[in-house]
Amino acid sequence: MKNFMSLSILLIGIFNFGQCTFGTSSAMTENGANISTGGNYEYSGATDFDVPFGKVFTVETFEFNLLKGAADLQYVNLEFIEEFAGLPSTTIHSFDQMVPVSQEFVYATEIDNLDVYKVVVEIPQTFELERGKYFIGLTAAAGDEHGAWWEIAAEDASTVGRFDFSKFENENWFGGYSYYDYVFAVSGTCADSGDEQPELGEACGQGNPIHDHEIIFDLRTGSLADDFIVAENTQFSLETLRIATLQLGNIINATLQIRNSNNDLPGEIIYSVPLKGPKTENFYGYWPVDDFPLDAASVVLDFEFDEPIELAAGKYFIEIRDVMAFPFTDILGWEGTSEAGIGGFAYESMNNGQSWTQIEGYNLVFDVEGYCQDLLGTGDLEMEEFAFFPNPVRNELNISSKSDLRNISVYNLSGQLVLNSKSTSKKLDTSSLSAGIYLVKVELKNGQTETFKIVKR
């Protein structure tokens, strides 16, 4: 899928001297979604942004583009919502009837009585958001009879996020199209969270590239799986799955699974994540589909795992099943390619993985990305000079090495630093750790670094 990587990304993700802004840019589409409130009917819109790992975001201001009449808005209602299963879920902060600090004309449209304005509101009480995906819900009370319409970016603009959702009255959120996004910017300050990624090796990835959007396999029924291979003497820490789809609709969430290989067939499930929504979706134009009267949208979806999945050398299968699709989805297919791919051909199952049928002649289009660690990189002599015990550990971890220690860092499987010691002592007090699995990074004064896993009882 590397041919997509050169396309421009319009998502704003600016970090400058502690200032942060997340949002999307206007393409002057003269198109908008109804978010009018205060009248006979209530309409809402929602869009998303992601706070990255290692940052804590303090929200201060919010601005958005709106199609409206000449009269100023009366007020704006704003809510910040947690994401669950790819949808807006629980409201964590809400601000009602905020009067905008400015309503600046942006451009004229050919729609009677509607032009585009940039509306800015100041958050009356700042608050912090940690790493994760959040939705912003918005309604606006128009100053005249022409209503309030949240501007939508062009469908061929490559953007990042879950895109536009809408709601009428008290109904559930509806949408999540991959073809549009609302125009907005949420700004504030970013501070370091103190979290540090464990040392997992060099960035790496593998996958099967797109080949002329030649075929799709239905994601709405059954399971689809394809293989990838971790090289000998390598540990692969999987962080992201990227798939290419052709669709008229959308994936709201799905179950992602890693299976081992059993006689070159998908075997035992070794990792499963249910109800996982895509982190990002990028639109790359329309393409014809055999035996269907309409072209389908080419959409690339990224799924990010909450913690790295550590895989030793061998063959594995990535599986997608239990797809929750956008209502009225006519086409939702994982793209396939007849070009040579990783390992063998793809597989499908109609009985929850109890049996598999090979899709002869085709591979699925996907990338798996993360970090690769060469397990032979330190050499036999260094491996003999370093040891740790006991494992499992209760109250004290012992380090054995010829070189003195510079630092010991302990991370949970979400990548959060939970314990750190700069003592030269080769004993680490682990009594404060909760029971579980941890990654330990030991830095020696001779420059050697050792990373290993422990189990805390």
Side-chain angles (χ1 to χ4, degrees):
M1 257 185 288
K2 308 304 182 188
N3 53 321
F4 286 145
M5 297 303 101
S6 62
L7 294 181
S8 62
I9 299 296
L10 295 184
L11 177 83
I12 305 168
I14 302 172
F15 307 94
N16 187 22
F17 301 109
Q19 295 296 309
C20 288
T21 298
F22 304 95
T24 52
S25 302
S26 172
M28 301 179 67
T29 62
E30 303 185 17
N31 189 13
N34 195 351
I35 58 167
S36 301
T37 188
N40 294 327
Y41 301 102
E42 299 289 319
Y43 297 90
S44 306
T47 194
D48 70 305
F49 68 99
D50 292 270
V51 178
F53 178 87
K55 297 294 180 182
V56 175
F57 178 42
T58 300
V59 181
E60 296 176 355
T61 62
F62 178 74
E63 64 183 57
F64 60 101
N65 279 14
L66 193 75
L67 282 75
K68 69 178 188 67
D72 283 347
L73 294 179
Q74 298 177 49
Y75 59 84
V76 171
N77 298 324
L78 192 63
E79 57 182 333
F80 288 79
I81 309 168
E82 292 180 330
E83 178 264 354
F84 176 73
L87 291 163
S89 179
T90 303
T91 297
I92 52 177
H93 296 282
S94 61
F95 306 96
D96 296 332
Q97 298 193 0
M98 295 188 297
V99 178
V101 297
S102 65
Q103 304 184 48
E104 175 185 349
F105 174 82
V106 178
Y107 67 89
T109 77
E110 296 183 1
I111 306 171
D112 289 344
N113 302 308
L114 290 177
D115 292 317
V116 175
Y117 292 78
K118 182 174 75 173
V119 180
V120 180
V121 294
E122 291 184 353
I123 306 300
Q125 182 178 355
T126 62
F127 57 93
E128 293 182 347
L129 296 175
E130 298 180 344
R131 176 196 182 191
K133 180 179 289 294
Y134 301 92
F135 286 91
I136 297 175
L138 180 65
T139 64
D144 54 31
E145 70 277 15
H146 304 301
W149 308 79
W150 198 348
E151 186 189 13
I152 295 173
E155 63 182 4
D156 59 352
S158 177
T159 56
V160 175
R162 286 288 299 146
F163 307 122
D164 59 314
F165 283 82
S166 59
K167 184 166 63 173
F168 176 69
E169 299 289 351
N170 292 319
E171 295 177 355
N172 295 327
W173 288 106
F174 183 81
Y177 290 109
S178 304
Y179 328 128
Y180 302 96
D181 201 354
Y182 295 129
V183 178
F184 76 100
V186 57
S187 302
T189 58
C190 276
D192 290 336
S193 67
D195 297 331
E196 296 181 10
Q197 290 279 14
E199 180 57 51
L200 298 174
E202 299 293 328
C204 64
Q206 57 182 290
N208 300 322
I210 286 175
H211 181 231
D212 298 328
H213 308 279
E214 61 180 304
I215 193 170
I216 58 174
F217 300 98
D218 200 342
L219 279 163
R220 297 171 297 177
T221 58
S223 303
L224 292 170
D226 206 347
D227 57 356
F228 63 96
I229 299 171
V230 180
E232 291 186 8
N233 303 314
T234 300
Q235 177 174 282
F236 178 45
S237 298
L238 171 61
E239 290 198 329
T240 301
L241 167 66
R242 178 177 297 117
I243 71 170
T245 68
L246 287 178
Q247 55 178 256
L248 287 175
N250 202 13
I251 290 180
I252 300 298
N253 60 62
T255 294
L256 310 182
Q257 298 192 144
I258 305 294
R259 292 178 179 265
N260 63 18
S261 177
N262 184 6
N263 295 322
D264 287 333
L265 289 168
E268 180 184 359
I269 297 169
I270 59 175
Y271 196 92
S272 182
V273 183
L275 299 173
K276 186 68 174 178
K279 179 181 179 181
T280 64
E281 298 177 318
N282 291 306
F283 169 78
Y284 294 101
Y286 290 100
W287 298 85
V289 176
D290 290 343
D291 302 321
F292 194 79
L294 300 176
D295 288 349
S298 171
V299 179
V300 175
L301 299 90
D302 279 16
F303 296 90
E304 184 178 83
F305 296 99
D306 295 333
E307 59 188 41
I309 303 172
E310 294 185 1
L311 300 172
K315 177 184 283 192
Y316 301 90
F317 284 85
I318 184 75
E319 175 192 5
I320 298 181
R321 56 179 287 186
D322 303 331
V323 170
M324 176 183 177
F326 177 82
F328 317 123
T329 297
D330 295 309
I331 294 176
L332 185 55
W334 191 345
E335 285 200 40
T337 172
S338 60
E339 296 287 285
I342 305 167
F345 297 131
Y347 287 84
E348 60 184 348
S349 173
M350 303 304 294
N351 55 14
N352 296 323
Q354 297 178 41
S355 62
W356 293 89
T357 302
Q358 188 179 69
I359 306 174
E360 188 171 353
Y362 290 99
N363 293 283
L364 298 171
V365 177
F366 73 95
D367 289 320
V368 286
E369 297 181 350
Y371 296 90
C372 289
Q373 188 170 24
D374 183 358
L375 299 182
L376 294 182
T378 56
D380 293 340
L381 177 61
E382 291 180 337
M383 295 295 289
E384 291 176 359
E385 293 178 344
F386 181 89
F388 60 94
F389 57 93
N391 191 22
V393 62
R394 291 190 182 273
N395 297 318
E396 188 175 83
L397 180 69
N398 297 283
I399 304 295
S400 174
S401 65
K402 291 183 178 180
S403 175
D404 291 333
L405 273 60
R406 176 179 287 119
N407 188 65
I408 303 177
S409 304
V410 181
Y411 302 86
N412 63 23
L413 292 184
S414 296
Q416 297 173 314
L417 180 68
V418 295
L419 188 61
N420 189 71
S421 173
K422 295 187 179 297
S423 170
T424 58
S425 171
K426 295 183 180 180
K427 297 181 183 294
L428 178 67
D429 183 359
T430 57
S431 59
S432 63
L433 297 177
S434 301
I437 301 174
Y438 297 86
L439 292 175
V440 181
K441 178 182 176 182
V442 177
E443 298 171 68
L444 305 181
K445 286 190 175 181
N446 67 358
Q448 180 178 334
T449 298
E450 297 287 345
T451 302
F452 52 91
K453 186 186 298 183
I454 62 170
V455 177
K456 171 65 192 309
R457 295 294 193 196

